[in-house]
Amino acid sequence: MYLTTLKLKKDKEISIYRKHPWIFSGAFFDIPKTIEDGETVRVLSYDDKFLAIGHYQGGGSIAVRILTYKDIPIDQNFWNDTISNAVLYRKNLGLLDDAHTNTYRLQHGEGDGIPGLIIDIYNDLAVIQCHSIGVHRCYNQIAEAILSCYKSKIDSIYIRSKDTLPEIYGKKIVDTFYSGSKEETIILENSVKFKINIITGQKTGFFLDQRENRALLNYFSKDKTVLNCFCYTGGFSIYALMAGATKVDSVDSSQKAMDLLEENLLLNTFAGDHQSYCANVLHFLTDDTIPDYDIVIVDPPAFAKSIHKRHNAVLAYKRLNTLALRKVKNGGFLCTFSCSQVVGTQLFYDTIVSAGIEAGKKVRVVRSLSQGPDHPINLFHPEGHYLKGLMLYVED
Ligand code: SAH
């Protein structure tokens, strides 16, 4: 099949030799006027050596997202190989055929070698979420590849890209089932049950990247009081209760999430008390009538979605964490996270240092936390390390 060829300027191939999957528009010699967003293109060096195949998308600083460094067609075989390879990786991690966990991320964008493609598996449901128009154009082949790998284990595949594609394309599409029509399921994550709605839930339905961090609570929650800030449908809350917490308070501003949390509480068996607060976390943390907790969890949405928002995001993380540190009892723990890609590990750490000083507490780092291994980081694309967390031991 004929593909448009894009040629790089002299010496611009270095990042491709270093296997970084993005090529910025300024690196190209000339971009033909006839090229369409989403087109699959062949990338050549200044001296006409083949370098890569990728998807073109104008309008932003990244012009090409690389799919492969081999000169091969992007056809059904390519997608079958991509999905089989992703499945094999999860199998080798022990995530397939696990009696305690039937949910995981199957494709994590650049981390799994396909920029712009997210696939989450929720028991018998799969959600494909595209972040580039090039990948969106391939969703039929991607869905077929999932069906041929999973066979009858997958009941329904939902394509949910309206909010993640660039707005000009997002507004032209509707989210839709590729196969089946089942929108809800119950997942098992480390033996904890959660109800998932893949149409109305946030992102693709659940925050799978926190699975291992939620499991950490098993070691620390017995006989403790826990505050879960930004609780969504109660992930950390229910783990803590299952691990023997005596009392868990969950705070989120979304009533829809809190409604699902109530259903999730009913799905699981535990003895401790639970209380939901549909509120702004910042207001909750500044309410002096609320007592301190043994464990506080802070997992906010990304405060900075772009580099321009980073400064304000850092100020917001500092304020939030200062308040959260003050809500921890002497000898308790704070687990705090940032999922802003543009706030790097060191900047997040420094922000927490500054919150620690402001809060006037003595603080030890118990563990550094990250996204689970089904959200892998491509070695050559450090930007993929978006979830940073710290577990802190806090004393007065
Ligand atoms: N920790 C959760 C995921 C959190 S996602 C889990 O393990 O599943 C972030 C959540 O923050 C969302 O549910 C969103 O509704 C909520 N949120 C955003 N801004 C908020 C605010 N100011 N106060 C309370 N909740 C907020």
Side-chain angles (χ1 to χ4, degrees):
M1 193 188 142
Y2 171 79
L3 297 181
T4 301
T5 295
L6 295 182
K7 204 171 179 167
L8 292 178
K9 290 179 189 159
K10 204 158 188 272
D11 298 331
K12 290 290 182 188
E13 65 276 24
I14 313 251
S15 77
I16 303 183
Y17 287 136
R18 299 187 64 186
K19 301 269 188 254
H20 196 283
W22 298 340
I23 313 177
F24 294 96
S25 54
F28 289 106
F29 195 66
D30 182 30
I31 296 180
K33 298 263 177 307
T34 51
I35 197 166
E36 277 181 38
D37 279 356
E39 248 186 81
T40 305
V41 294
R42 289 179 85 239
V43 179
L44 301 185
S45 67
Y46 181 75
D47 53 356
D48 285 330
K49 279 201 208 84
F50 170 82
L51 294 172
I53 290 181
H55 281 145
Y56 173 79
Q57 186 170 297
S61 52
I62 306 169
V64 171
R65 291 165 172 84
I66 294 175
L67 300 167
T68 174
Y69 299 90
K70 295 182 187 154
D71 200 358
I72 53 172
I74 306 303
D75 55 10
Q76 187 65 57
N77 281 337
F78 173 82
W79 291 111
N80 289 348
D81 288 348
T82 298
I83 298 298
S84 316
N85 182 271
V87 169
L88 178 65
Y89 169 66
R90 274 86 190 158
K91 188 173 161 49
N92 288 338
L93 287 176
L95 280 169
L96 265 73
D97 307 316
D98 179 336
H100 308 284
T101 299
N102 60 16
T103 186
Y104 50 87
R105 178 156 287 189
L106 174 65
Q107 270 284 330
H108 183 61
E110 286 83 354
D112 281 294
I114 306 290
L117 176 61
I118 298 293
I119 305 173
D120 285 334
I121 303 290
Y122 296 113
N123 185 14
D124 52 350
L125 305 183
V127 183
I128 298 177
Q129 186 163 73
C130 307
H131 292 247
S132 76
I133 191 65
V135 165
H136 182 70
R137 280 182 171 191
C138 302
Y139 78 72
N140 287 304
Q141 291 177 326
I142 297 167
E144 282 304 320
I146 296 173
L147 289 174
S148 81
C149 249
Y150 284 83
K151 311 244 162 19
S152 60
K153 282 191 195 148
I154 290 291
D155 178 288
S156 302
I157 301 182
Y158 190 60
I159 317 293
R160 191 172 164 176
S161 307
K162 192 172 178 57
D163 294 335
T164 52
L165 286 174
E167 204 188 336
I168 45 162
Y169 298 108
K171 69 181 181 200
K172 289 188 200 148
I173 62 160
V174 283
D175 292 335
T176 167
F177 280 99
Y178 177 83
S179 69
S181 58
K182 189 175 168 189
E183 68 179 88
E184 285 184 348
T185 195
I186 308 284
I187 57 160
L188 207 55
E189 195 197 74
N190 293 313
S191 300
V192 186
K193 289 182 188 150
F194 295 99
K195 184 170 172 183
I196 305 296
N197 186 310
I198 55 175
I199 298 181
T200 60
Q202 293 184 26
K203 305 277 179 181
T204 64
F206 199 57
F207 293 87
L208 295 169
D209 51 359
Q210 290 284 20
R211 184 182 54 252
E212 299 207 335
N213 301 325
R214 287 195 273 257
L216 248 193
L217 286 176
N218 292 338
Y219 299 102
F220 304 99
S221 302
K222 193 161 168 30
D223 300 327
K224 298 287 166 58
T225 60
V226 180
L227 172 64
N228 183 8
C229 301
F230 308 95
C231 64
Y232 186 48
T233 58
F236 284 99
S237 308
I238 298 174
Y239 271 71
L241 287 162
M242 301 284 276
T246 49
K247 176 179 162 50
V248 176
D249 287 344
S250 303
V251 187
D252 200 285
S253 56
S254 159
Q255 186 57 54
K256 214 156 62 176
M258 303 304 276
D259 292 345
L260 210 46
L261 187 157
E262 294 301 327
E263 291 194 51
N264 288 333
L265 291 167
L266 295 174
L267 288 174
N268 297 285
T269 311
F270 50 82
D273 290 336
H274 180 269
Q275 180 70 48
S276 291
Y277 295 88
C278 188
N280 183 327
V281 164
L282 285 172
H283 296 164
F284 188 90
L285 289 174
T286 42
D287 182 343
D288 291 338
T289 63
I290 291 164
D292 294 348
Y293 297 83
D294 296 313
I295 301 175
V296 176
I297 294 140
V298 172
D299 181 26
F303 284 164
K305 294 244 164 67
S306 70
I307 205 96
H308 315 290
K309 303 268 168 64
R310 189 162 66 181
H311 178 69
N312 283 343
V314 166
L315 297 178
Y317 284 122
K318 180 182 168 191
R319 169 136 199 270
L320 174 64
N321 282 285
T322 304
L323 295 172
L325 281 163
R326 289 187 180 143
K327 267 274 171 264
V328 181
K329 275 189 196 164
N330 186 29
F333 296 102
L334 170 68
C335 294
T336 183
F337 298 92
S338 161
C339 61
S340 301
Q341 190 187 58
V342 294
V343 176
T345 309
Q346 190 61 45
L347 181 55
F348 179 62
Y349 188 93
D350 293 343
T351 306
I352 304 302
V353 170
S354 145
I357 294 168
E358 183 93 14
K361 298 275 187 168
K362 181 177 168 193
V363 186
R364 279 176 241 188
V365 178
V366 183
R367 286 194 190 198
S368 292
L369 306 170
S370 183
Q371 62 225 52
D374 51 336
H375 295 60
I377 302 158
N378 175 343
L379 182 65
F380 311 108
H381 176 258
E383 297 89 333
H385 181 202
Y386 70 100
L387 182 65
K388 299 106 203 162
L390 289 170
M391 180 173 182
L392 306 170
Y393 184 71
V394 184
E395 289 169 288
D396 292 340

